[in-house]
């Protein structure tokens, strides 16, 4: 229709090629800017998912460091340098994760380059650590994944675990929880190079 209108307005233009060009233009626009599956919206969703995954990794790493601190009766605050050491992230990526977690009111940063949980952030970190370790225990127990590899394997799926699957994991693994309902890390004593989690 649009091509026909254009060829009617611009009488010197042949209608066939105008219709083809108009249809191709509309297709390209819908491909780029479609509301559900357009390239732009998919890129935005992918970026949001990456931010979410990095934020979750940050919270879980902070929780695991705080576990070690509690065991050693050390301070509950976590230094940014320690996080940089534990994760193979660039400084920029780590700063971005900290920024987004702070904006979501999950952590608080101090002027001394240290981080601590907000109550909301602590609850979220406990949930993330619990789900990650339940999945790790399942992989070790039922999928015969080596403890030295299980953390890396669990990272691939943990962000899309549904509540129903978590409940199923709990029933399969039985009551293996400890402090705050979080199972102990199944690979804490395993030596090996850190993964990019």
């Amino acid at each position: 229709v649009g091509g026909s209108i254009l060829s009617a307005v611009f009488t010197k233009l042949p209608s066939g090629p105008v219709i083809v060009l108009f249809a191709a233009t509309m297709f390209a626009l819908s491909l780029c800017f479609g509301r559900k599956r357009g390239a732009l919206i998919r890129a935005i969703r992918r970026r949001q998912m990456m931010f979410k995954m990095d934020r979750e990794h940050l919270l879980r790493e902070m929780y695991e460091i705080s576990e070690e601190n509690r065991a050693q009766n050390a301070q509950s605050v976590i230094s940014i340098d320690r996080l940089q050491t534990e994760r193979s992230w660039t400084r920029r990526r780590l700063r971005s994760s900290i920024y987004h977690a702070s904006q979501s009111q999950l952590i608080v940063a101090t002027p001394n380059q240290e981080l601590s949980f907000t109550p909301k952030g602590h609850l979220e970190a406990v949930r993330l650590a619990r789900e990650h370790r339940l999945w790790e225990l399942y992989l070790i127990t039922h999928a015969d994944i080596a403890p030295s590899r299980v953390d890396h394997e669990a990272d691939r799926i943990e962000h899309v675990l549904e509540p129903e699957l978590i409940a199923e994991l709990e029933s399969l693994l039985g009551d293996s929880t400890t402090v705050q309902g979080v199972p102990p890390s199944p690979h804490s004593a395993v030596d090996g190079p850190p993964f990019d989690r």
Side-chain angles (χ1 to χ4, degrees):
V1 176
S4 300
I5 294 172
L6 284 174
S7 62
V9 173
F10 301 99
T11 54
K12 292 185 179 180
L13 295 175
S15 60
V18 168
I19 291 171
V20 171
L21 285 173
F22 181 80
T25 302
M26 294 306 295
F27 174 76
L29 288 172
S30 65
L31 188 66
C32 293
F33 303 108
R35 296 176 66 181
K36 290 186 178 179
R37 296 189 179 182
L40 180 62
I41 195 69
R42 289 175 69 181
I44 291 171
R45 286 174 183 162
R46 192 180 307 115
R47 187 172 175 81
Q48 289 173 338
M49 184 64 177
M50 289 300 297
F51 285 147
K52 176 180 179 287
M53 289 170 62
D54 281 354
R55 186 175 65 238
E56 290 180 354
H57 285 152
L58 173 70
L59 292 176
R60 186 164 55 77
E61 190 65 55
M62 285 179 62
Y63 178 83
E64 290 177 356
I65 292 172
S66 68
E67 270 186 326
E68 293 177 24
N69 289 347
R70 282 197 303 271
Q72 299 168 5
N73 293 319
Q75 289 183 324
S76 59
V77 292
I78 297 153
S79 73
I80 293 176
D81 289 336
R82 173 74 188 277
L83 282 168
Q84 183 76 46
T85 303
E86 294 293 329
R87 290 215 167 251
S88 54
W89 285 352
T90 63
R91 194 79 173 178
R92 180 179 178 181
R93 184 177 173 189
L94 178 58
R95 291 283 182 186
S96 174
S97 300
I98 291 169
Y99 171 78
H100 286 99
S102 299
Q103 290 296 105
S104 301
Q105 299 181 336
L106 298 171
I107 62 172
V108 175
T110 71
N112 298 328
Q113 302 291 297
E114 292 176 329
L115 306 173
S116 61
F117 288 117
T118 64
K120 174 184 173 184
H122 186 261
L123 287 174
E124 179 67 3
V126 167
R127 180 187 71 80
L128 293 168
R130 182 170 182 274
E131 291 180 4
H132 178 83
R133 290 181 186 175
L134 283 172
W135 187 246
E136 285 181 324
L137 290 169
Y138 173 79
L139 291 175
I140 291 170
T141 307
H142 298 280
D144 202 26
I145 303 292
S148 60
R149 289 285 305 167
V150 73
D151 188 51
H152 184 59
E153 297 297 329
D155 270 350
R156 297 180 179 182
I157 195 69
E158 66 177 347
H159 305 284
V160 293
L161 292 177
E162 297 290 336
E164 296 80 12
L165 181 55
I166 294 298
E168 190 174 342
L169 290 174
E170 290 170 344
S171 65
L172 278 172
L173 297 169
D175 186 15
S176 59
T177 59
T178 55
V179 180
Q180 298 173 323
V182 180
S185 176
H187 52 83
S188 57
V190 175
D191 294 325
F195 294 106
D196 183 9
R197 295 178 285 179

